[in-house]
Amino acid sequence: MINGHTEIIAHIGYPTHSFKSPQIYNPYFRSIGENSVVVPLACEAQDYPQFLRAIFALRNIRGALVTMPHKMTTLNLVDVASPAAMVAGACNAVKKGPDGRLLGDMFDGEGFSRALLRKGHPIEGSKVLIVGCGGVGSAIAAALAAHRPAVLHLHDRQSASAHALAQRLQTYFPATRVEISNPDPSGMHTVINASPLGMNPDDPLPLDVQRLAPQTLVGDVVMAQTLTPLLAAAQQRGCPIQIGTDMLFEQIPVYLAYFGYPTTDAQTLRQLAQLEG
């Protein structure tokens, strides 16, 4: 029951049709008797800078979840950004500090790496291909770099994004080998689609699945559907997969702590979630 005491977590992005967070957070809040609600808010890029400041003028806002296409923009809108956000070049969590300043953090990468490790999939010493070097791809690259992979291969249709990410990684993780490459998955231990390709039915695949080895784990951050075309094709080749919501479930406990709520584990969140499709 939403009432005059309800606190809001804004989930801001555009478009909002693939948002899963309200179906995960809100059942959890009900289960613990927390009078809070996650609300999806569709805000286009040109309106976002003004909107983010305006929404934090509300007295009953607890924080904001930020998703595409605003994560990279958010880094320049907050007053203080965490080291994780600085490395990633993006923020996906914003809250107001006691002094009124906006604080930004980034949890996508931690969620993705936690999901890999929970599956028993090694990161240290592995070869990884990341397709898409925007906010989520940068966050994943930063989190994986902390686990000392043998090499991170980066690809983005906007080559400047890949080169900028490589520079940040080499600044903060100088021992990590980083290469700008084409999206060739052959010889990789882990292949990650961190691009928007797969959100729409007519999107092309982000890479040539015929070059995937059966032992390569293929992950996708797209949540428009559980089994994206890329993941379906990878499964047909015998590859283990990681679906987009795996990253989401693993980062939510970190988000909850960040916003000052009682936290839980990914398994509990999955049991309570009311996901469709």
Side-chain angles (χ1 to χ4, degrees):
M1 176 68 70
I2 295 175
N3 56 35
H5 300 283
T6 303
E7 288 192 308
I8 296 169
I9 294 180
H11 190 180
I12 311 171
Y14 188 84
T16 61
H17 64 262
S18 64
F19 284 14
K20 303 294 185 186
S21 291
Q23 298 158 267
I24 302 172
Y25 283 85
N26 294 337
Y28 172 67
F29 287 149
R30 286 195 295 271
S31 77
I32 63 171
E34 183 68 48
N35 191 1
S36 294
V37 61
V38 173
V39 181
L41 300 175
C43 180
E44 294 194 58
Q46 67 270 18
D47 302 315
Y48 177 67
Q50 182 178 359
F51 177 74
L52 182 68
R53 284 285 173 182
I55 200 169
F56 273 96
L58 298 175
R59 293 295 187 179
N60 66 332
I61 188 166
R62 189 76 167 252
L65 313 173
V66 180
T67 191
M68 293 187 291
H70 306 313
K71 294 180 185 182
M72 299 181 80
T73 304
T74 303
L75 185 66
N76 297 318
L77 298 178
V78 298
D79 300 305
V80 181
S82 71
M86 293 297 294
V87 175
C91 293
N92 72 347
V94 181
K95 67 180 180 180
K96 185 180 286 188
D99 58 0
R101 292 188 299 172
L102 292 187
L103 313 178
D105 214 323
M106 168 53 78
F107 302 126
D108 278 342
E110 185 173 356
F112 196 94
S113 61
R114 281 168 57 131
L116 285 179
L117 295 172
R118 189 177 294 278
K119 290 179 173 64
H121 187 74
I123 301 172
E124 185 174 358
S126 66
K127 297 178 180 179
V128 181
L129 169 65
I130 300 175
V131 179
C133 299
V136 63
S138 296
I140 290 171
L144 295 183
H147 290 276
R148 300 184 298 276
V151 58
L152 287 175
H153 293 267
L154 308 177
H155 175 78
D156 195 288
R157 290 184 294 179
Q158 303 294 326
S159 62
S161 296
H163 283 279
L165 172 56
Q167 186 173 20
R168 293 194 302 273
L169 288 169
Q170 289 170 346
T171 298
Y172 291 94
F173 300 97
T176 300
R177 181 180 161 196
V178 181
E179 294 187 2
I180 309 297
S181 67
N182 58 37
D184 183 359
S186 58
M188 301 294 164
H189 298 102
T190 309
V191 172
I192 302 159
N193 175 41
S195 78
L197 293 176
M199 290 186 67
N200 301 302
D202 57 348
D203 284 344
L205 292 178
L207 52 91
D208 183 358
V209 296
Q210 299 303 314
R211 299 183 67 82
L212 283 168
Q215 65 270 23
T216 300
L217 184 142
V218 179
D220 202 332
V221 304
V222 171
M223 300 182 201
Q225 52 188 317
T226 300
L227 199 63
T228 64
L230 172 63
L231 295 182
Q235 267 194 335
Q236 289 181 350
R237 291 191 62 79
C239 298
I241 63 170
Q242 180 162 301
I243 62 176
T245 53
D246 286 344
M247 178 182 74
L248 180 61
F249 277 107
E250 287 291 347
Q251 68 180 296
I252 287 177
V254 188
Y255 264 124
L256 290 168
Y258 182 72
F259 290 131
Y261 290 111
T263 192
T264 185
D265 54 54
Q267 181 179 358
T268 299
L269 291 167
R270 283 190 180 278
Q271 291 171 347
L272 293 169
Q274 299 176 0
L275 298 178
E276 301 170 358

